[in-house]
Amino acid sequence: MTAFWILGILLVASAVMTVTQKSPVYSVVGLLANFLALAVLFMTLDAEFLAIIQVVVYGGAILMLFVFVIALLSSGTGPFTEGPNRLPLARGPALAIVLIAFGALMYAVLRAPLAPGTIVPPSSTLGLAGQPDVFGSIGDFGTALFTTHLLPFEVTAFILMVAVIGVVLIAADAVPQRTHGHHPVRPKREREPIVKVR
Amino acid sequence: MSFDPSPYVALSAVIFFIGVLGVLLRRNPLIVLMSIELMFNAANLALVAFSRAWVNNAGHVFVFLVITVAAAEAAIGLAIVVAVFRRSVNVDVDEVASMRG
Amino acid sequence: MNALLISIWLLPLIGAILLWAFGPQLNRTAGVVGTFVVFFSFALTVALFDVARAPGGLHVTFGSWVPGFDFGLLLDPLALLWALVITGIGGLIHAYAVGYMWSDKAVARFFAYMNFFVFAMLTLVLSDNFVGLLVGWGLVGLASYFLISFWFYKPSAVAAGRKAFVINVFGDIGLMLAIFVLFAQLGSLGYAAVFSKVGQLSMPALLLVCVALFVACAAKSAQVPLHTWLPDAMEGPTPVSALIHAATMVTAGVYLIARCAPLFNASPQSQELVGIIGALTALTGAVLGLAQWDIKRVLAYSTMSQIGYMIMGVGVGAYEAGVLHFLTHAFFKAQLFLGAGLVIHALHDEQDIRKMGGLRRRMPFAFLAMLLGTLAIIGFPGLSGSFSKDAVIYGVLERGHPMLFGAGVLAAGLTAYYMFRMIFITFFGTYRGELDDAAVGVAERVSSPEPEDHAVHLPDWVMQAPVAVLMLGTVGAGWLAIGGTSSPWYRFFGDAFGTSVAAAEVPGFPEIASTLLVLVVVAAGFAVAYARYGSPNAMAHAVDQLRNESRTMPALLVHAFYVDDALDALFVRPARALGTFCARFVDPHVIDGGVKDLVWLASALGLVFRVLQNGLVRTYAFTLVAGAAAVLVYAAWMGSR
């Protein structure tokens, strides 16, 4: 229980840090803390494989993506600049709606029994990872993934392929033109404001 | 004693709505995407908690798929951000409003 | 046999269509074509004379155009009489009009309208059911409108036509109401069916039907207070005035009451009402007739008065008498109008009698025609008018209506006075056409002269021949009724009219006494007219007298008892006000406003929803989250129930 509370506070704090920091790099750090805390929480919930996946994929891949894009979009060492706030009055209503939704969700969740009372949880299984009949172990997970849930697995692979193709198409620069000495090549870092269309 | 997932669900809701606030109120597109990742994480937490309560590893598989999709979505989202804001001065989602009407 | 009847009915329509279609090609010969068509119908009608007198008459059914409605033609004695008058006298007037309208620019259109009128009138009298009657009724009103405003470039003619039409439509409503009630109560509209079931009508329904029918009669036959259109209808050409507004159309009301005798016989109150209105009209027309200066208006008011007699007659149940007066009136009134037309034509469209005078020597034939007609109308013994007038007046008395009898006698005297006033001023003395208007007291021209192109004229006999034929009828038509109830006239109708429920025979006043009383009153009227206008002394001071009389004519008479103004204030002004209100307010604000409000609403809604489409990602995200929150709240609430 104490683990839950400590990790819970960590999670919330890091989430708030992610959302409120001015500089995106600080937000990335907060997000990393969030991922790590969540991984530990997974561990306490007997989901060891998922904890590792969480750290590797989220923290190792996705966060890196974010860092690279921050680097790509930064100009020199200055902070990101932002235009004027077009929705200055959004704070109050946003907060209100979120609180209402949260209240509704909590009301629904906490009134109903969420799990049967008869299932006896297994004892702590740390150390027995790899056994296919231990809940949460990599063996158990692998068996499930490759037998019962094989189709979703294959579809997921497909999704990833589509994502890769999409990224290449969207983010790739146009093929640089050879100028044949007629006019100078435009520098890559040239900045122009986006034309505002009324 | 049986496992009661309600505190984990409550925690998941809190993180989820913090993520929602981030999406609604922040104007830097990167932070918006990070907030979306937060929301994914919250969902994953709830799933794992329930999976533990029902001792059913279908929840784990689901989380696996969610993580995968979240990764793909983050990749594509960041690619779009790069494509849109590559040549602009301000990195601000409010600037990308040409489809108004 | 059936084919003959259908031909009688349809030939004038074919004539009208031909004249409308080939008017420009036929030009002036259109008149001959039109006249020939009507005379042919007349010949066919005469051929069917015996067939019509058979029991049940000649009945042609065209089958039902609505299940339960049989539409057809019926030629019984009543219809036969009217058909003979329409086609016979109509044919004579057509022949006269050939000469009268010879120099007009639109001869073909005129005769097309005249033929159409004959067709419409035949529809009215030959139908065997109320619906056909209504159709004919409406078409006749339409034909009247066409012909009154024939010279449509005269604003006064157009106004007169419109007035006639509107008042007639008001009467049409009465007829329609009666038809509705009859159908609702009895379930059928054929004459035979309705008249055999009269007993099934409740008394209030019967009264309503009779009153509604009488409203229609009052409008069509120019009874008080719906008479105001008839004097104005004199704007039409004189043959039109003769045919429509003297001989036939205005008598449609008389036909209706005679046809619906079973209905009226069963309702003594309606008969009272009809009789009273008829007598009132007879008196009013006579009183107004003595204030007129336009020769055609004198005749118009005299028509109104005489039809009052007819209505009074058929109203109280003296059907044969009233219908006889119709026949004789058709002859002498047509003769009077055509004679007046001769005068007007010869004087190049002068209609004011103050500008006439001494025409006795210049136009002897016209003088003879008008004198004969006048003698007939006042009831000179031996002429047709006397028989019919005495029959009506005595018929009213012997059915127990002494007040109406008195009114009829008084009106007879007044008739003599104003008709001879007209004769004396027009035909005696010296010709005043050379004097200027003010000298004889002409303050303003009521109707502008009828336009005419003086290039071509036909020889005189073309117009005089039909008048001569009419004279025969004027003199002899009444002789049919010699012999009282065993005369050819009464035997012609047999028991067609039945007897009224409330037949109160008042003996004691023999018919000869009534006749003598009328003669005395008539002679008195003549004497007064002679003294004022006809004596040598009066004729010597004619100009001054006419001028004085024009100036001192009582305003009440000049404005025709202000009935026109009353109707104007009661109906025309409110209608105009309503129209203006609708045009100024309802149309732009309510009707257009409704549409404009819809447009405004659409754009306002659009403006509201545009806020959501500002292109900002955050707005869309916000909407998304708000929707999701709503779903969450709803699910939580649902789950908790």
Side-chain angles (χ1 to χ4, degrees), chain A residues 13-24:
Chain A
S14 56
V16 169
M17 182 182 165
T18 308
V19 168
T20 51
Q21 288 302 315
K22 197 80 175 44
S23 162

Side-chain angles (χ1 to χ4, degrees), chain A residues 4 19-21 34-35 45-47 58 69 81-84 86 114 121 135 140-141 156 171 173 191-192, chain B residues 1 22 26-28 37-38 40-41 51-52 54 57 60 64-65 68 70 86-92 94:
Chain A
F4 170 75
V19 168
T20 51
Q21 288 302 315
N34 200 64
F35 292 159
L45 287 174
D46 296 334
Y58 262 118
V69 171
T81 51
E82 290 185 345
R86 297 275 162 89
L114 295 174
F135 174 74
D140 182 42
F141 181 85
T156 309
D173 251 339
R191 304 282 180 168
E192 293 157 6
Chain B
M1 64 154 194
R26 290 305 301 260
R27 285 186 287 136
N28 190 320
E37 296 304 319
L38 271 182
F40 276 119
N41 274 354
S51 175
R52 170 75 174 80
W54 289 80
N57 55 19
H60 288 213
F64 182 77
L65 301 178
T68 313
R86 200 198 301 257
R87 273 188 257 276
S88 56
V89 175
N90 291 332
V91 184
D92 182 350
D94 281 354

Side-chain angles (χ1 to χ4, degrees), chain C residues 31-58:
Chain C
V32 178
V33 172
T35 310
F36 177 71
V37 165
V38 178
F39 272 132
F40 195 63
S41 272
F42 175 69
L44 294 180
T45 313
V46 169
L48 288 178
F49 189 85
D50 283 323
V51 178
R53 295 189 54 200
L58 176 60

Side-chain angles (χ1 to χ4, degrees), chain A residues 1 4 7-8 11-12 15-16 18-24 27-28 31 34-35 38 41-42 44-47 49-50 53-54 57-58 62 65-66 69-70 72-73 80-87 90-91 94-95 98 101-102 105-106 109-110 114-122 135-136 140-141 144-145 149 152-153 156 159-160 162-163 166-167 170-173 186 188 190-194 196-198, chain B residues 1-42 44-46 48-100:
Chain A
M1 234 31 234
F4 170 75
L7 290 169
L11 273 170
V12 172
V16 169
T18 308
V19 168
T20 51
Q21 288 302 315
K22 197 80 175 44
S23 162
S27 297
V28 166
L31 201 57
N34 200 64
F35 292 159
L38 198 60
L41 198 54
F42 283 173
T44 65
L45 287 174
D46 296 334
F49 179 66
L50 281 180
I53 291 293
Q54 169 86 1
V57 172
Y58 262 118
I62 293 176
L65 266 180
F66 273 104
V69 171
I70 292 173
L72 210 52
L73 289 182
F80 281 122
T81 51
E82 290 185 345
N85 189 345
R86 297 275 162 89
L87 275 182
R91 254 191 223 166
L95 205 57
V98 161
F102 181 69
L105 192 57
M106 282 300 101
V109 159
L110 295 177
L114 295 174
T118 55
I119 296 183
V120 178
F135 174 74
D140 182 42
F141 181 85
L145 187 66
H149 306 286
F153 171 69
T156 309
I159 290 173
L160 284 174
V162 168
V167 166
I170 291 171
D173 251 339
R186 279 176 52 210
K188 214 169 160 200
E190 187 177 327
R191 304 282 180 168
E192 293 157 6
I194 293 179
K196 295 173 181 51
V197 177
R198 289 258 155 242
Chain B
M1 64 154 194
S2 63
F3 174 74
D4 180 24
S6 16
Y8 292 89
V9 175
L11 179 61
S12 155
V14 170
I15 298 182
F16 182 84
F17 286 113
I18 293 175
V20 169
L21 277 175
V23 168
L24 292 181
L25 296 177
R26 290 305 301 260
R27 285 186 287 136
N28 190 320
L30 295 166
I31 300 190
V32 169
L33 282 166
M34 288 187 228
S35 309
I36 294 177
E37 296 304 319
L38 271 182
M39 288 155 75
F40 276 119
N41 274 354
N44 286 348
L45 175 58
V48 169
F50 278 116
S51 175
R52 170 75 174 80
W54 289 80
V55 191
N56 185 342
N57 55 19
H60 288 213
V61 174
F62 203 157
V63 169
F64 182 77
L65 301 178
V66 168
I67 291 177
T68 313
V69 169
E73 175 260 1
I76 296 185
L78 287 167
I80 292 175
V81 165
V82 164
V84 169
F85 293 101
R86 200 198 301 257
R87 273 188 257 276
S88 56
V89 175
N90 291 332
V91 184
D92 182 350
V93 293
D94 281 354
E95 298 286 320
V96 196
S98 58
M99 280 179 68
R100 61 178 295 138

